[in-house]
Amino acid sequence: AKPFDSQELRARISLIAQLNRFRGIQREKEKLQRVVDLAPDGIVVIDPQLQIVFVNPAATNLFASTEALPLVGTRFPFLVHRMVRGRFDENLFADVQTNGGTLHLSGMFQRLDGTIFPANLSVGAFEWEDQPAIQINVSDLTDQRQLEEQLLRSQRLQGLGSIAGGIAHDLNNVITPI
């Protein structure tokens, strides 16, 4: 409305510009959150003391976490099977740094309900809330291992079938003159 105060007009324009920037940042944050929530692999973020500080829904399902047994606050080595636990100690941060910020591992892991499953890990260093952290992407290999076992069984049966066919052919050759 006329007359207007130029100082008030500048303040309102500045406020509207800040509000638009905030809305844009909020939209980007929501998009990234959807990507993390829909990721098929488990995403786990741990701090330098190896405490879990963030998990996505896939990690919650993968490690059989519940409200009574939450993952956040748990030490990550607790989820590693005792046979490979030595690879996931306090030296994990140093190992990631010496490998250029990323590391690929595989091993057996333990769900919170006690069941064990094979998994591949992709480990990377980054900053989480202005602190050094490690992001671990966990890919469950249970289905892949089951398919490999089925393939091996079918190959064994195929080999037994070939041997049985050869023996039957040899017996037929011996019995034919009789």
Side-chain angles (χ1 to χ4, degrees), residues 50-118:
L50 304 181
Q51 293 282 348
I52 297 174
V53 294
F54 173 82
V55 292
N56 71 340
T60 301
N61 293 336
L62 182 63
F63 288 104
S65 177
T66 62
E67 286 185 27
L69 292 169
L71 275 176
V72 175
T74 305
R75 285 184 45 82
F76 185 75
F78 176 73
L79 302 173
V80 180
H81 190 263
R82 65 183 174 279
M83 299 295 283
V84 293
R85 196 166 284 161
R87 292 171 31 197
F88 297 94
D89 57 7
E90 278 69 20
N91 296 328
L92 184 61
F93 269 83
D95 292 344
V96 171
Q97 295 301 330
T98 57
N99 286 311
T102 59
L103 191 62
H104 299 283
L105 303 166
S106 63
M108 300 301 285
F109 295 85
Q110 184 171 315
R111 292 183 174 95
L112 294 177
D113 62 6
T115 58
I116 297 170
F117 67 98

Side-chain angles (χ1 to χ4, degrees), residues 45-51 53 93 97 124-135:
V45 176
I46 61 174
D47 65 11
Q49 291 76 36
L50 304 181
Q51 293 282 348
V53 294
F93 269 83
Q97 295 301 330
F126 75 114
E127 281 195 14
W128 177 266
E129 297 177 354
D130 298 327
Q131 298 294 324
I134 289 182
Q135 176 180 331

